[in-house]
Amino acid sequence: GTGSPRQDILTHAFHGTGLQGRAITDGSHLMSDHWKCLTAEDAPRLPPYVRDWVTLETSMTARIGVVAGTAIDVDVLQQARGPLHADERGFFDPPATEGVVREVCLKSEGQPLLVARTVFTSRRLEEHPTIVRLGNHALGSLLFADGPPRYSAREYVTVGEGAPLWPLIRQRHDSDPGPYWARRTLFELFGEVLLVTEIFMPELLDHPGNRAG
């Protein structure tokens, strides 16, 4: 409930750095190298080709498949215990420096369309059979198995060179100078929280299927 230790931590994580980012392209106050909490006021001002992705309430993988018009392949880049980025640690109660890190690339006919990073600290999730066996299946197959999952917050950002997510992007996409639009969501799964960060490749945002809505 409101006022709980977890809620206090989440409120700090969501809002502590949201408004101090410097503009990195085209002068827009919506393009920032600091994560910003997605608000009802911000959403209409996002570029139309980005807005629907940042605000999507259904499965990201399923939506990408509809836009691309093809099957979506999931390449697992890593799934192992590892360090959390500094700006991820405060999402967990207690704050953690290490957890399970799962990084994947979603592709259509060999073309990367999205890279994603999921982190969690729960031993229950780490040992849950469906997580252990997830492999190259999309995480959305679990998150949306029983309808839209609960989530505590959603943020967006544009990722440029030097950002913690930059090496992940460059593993699968090195042909664009950026910045790249991204969002992250603190979902609940099996009663535990996990932070899912999704970075949109230009080929997805510029895809004719995306422009067609």
Side-chain angles (χ1 to χ4, degrees):
T2 57
S4 69
R6 171 165 290 180
Q7 187 60 50
D8 291 342
I9 289 170
L10 297 182
T11 299
H12 173 76
F14 300 156
H15 300 292
T17 60
L19 300 177
Q20 288 81 34
R22 67 180 186 274
I24 56 176
T25 183
D26 81 6
S28 169
H29 74 287
L30 290 174
M31 298 194 72
S32 163
D33 62 352
H34 286 255
W35 289 98
K36 191 175 189 300
C37 186
L38 181 67
T39 68
E41 291 74 25
D42 280 348
R45 298 200 297 266
L46 289 167
Y49 63 91
V50 172
R51 182 189 311 133
D52 288 349
W53 294 107
V54 172
T55 61
L56 187 70
E57 297 286 346
T58 56
S59 166
M60 182 67 69
T61 306
R63 178 60 185 162
I64 291 175
V66 169
V67 167
T70 65
I72 299 301
D73 297 317
V74 179
D75 279 354
V76 180
L77 308 179
Q78 74 157 321
Q79 182 168 329
R81 293 197 66 82
L84 273 57
H85 296 161
D87 64 357
E88 296 172 334
R89 298 170 186 170
F91 283 96
F92 301 97
D93 184 9
T97 59
E98 183 182 89
V100 174
V101 179
R102 173 179 165 91
E103 295 178 336
V104 303
C105 177
L106 272 57
K107 302 188 305 183
S108 168
E109 298 180 334
Q111 174 65 61
L113 297 179
L114 179 141
V115 291
R117 173 182 168 91
T118 299
V119 297
F120 56 87
T121 60
S122 163
R123 288 287 184 179
R124 182 184 178 203
L125 285 183
E126 183 176 4
E127 297 168 359
H128 199 286
T130 55
I131 297 289
V132 173
R133 297 194 301 262
L134 189 57
N136 63 351
H137 296 285
L139 180 65
S141 63
L142 294 181
L143 284 174
F144 292 86
D146 298 314
R150 293 179 58 186
Y151 67 87
S152 304
R154 177 158 290 154
E155 299 180 333
Y156 67 93
V157 75
T158 47
V159 181
E161 187 172 3
L165 292 167
W166 193 253
L168 171 60
I169 294 171
R170 282 299 185 245
Q171 282 189 54
R172 285 296 183 267
H173 200 268
D174 59 5
S175 61
D176 191 285
Y180 295 77
W181 286 93
R183 76 169 189 177
R184 66 182 180 187
T185 308
L186 193 71
F187 285 111
E188 184 176 303
L189 179 65
F190 306 134
E192 305 288 344
V193 295
L194 67 170
L195 183 66
V196 179
T197 301
E198 297 153 321
I199 306 130
F200 308 106
M201 301 296 99
E203 289 80 6
L204 175 63
L205 300 182
D206 294 337
H207 195 285
N210 186 42
R211 300 294 182 165

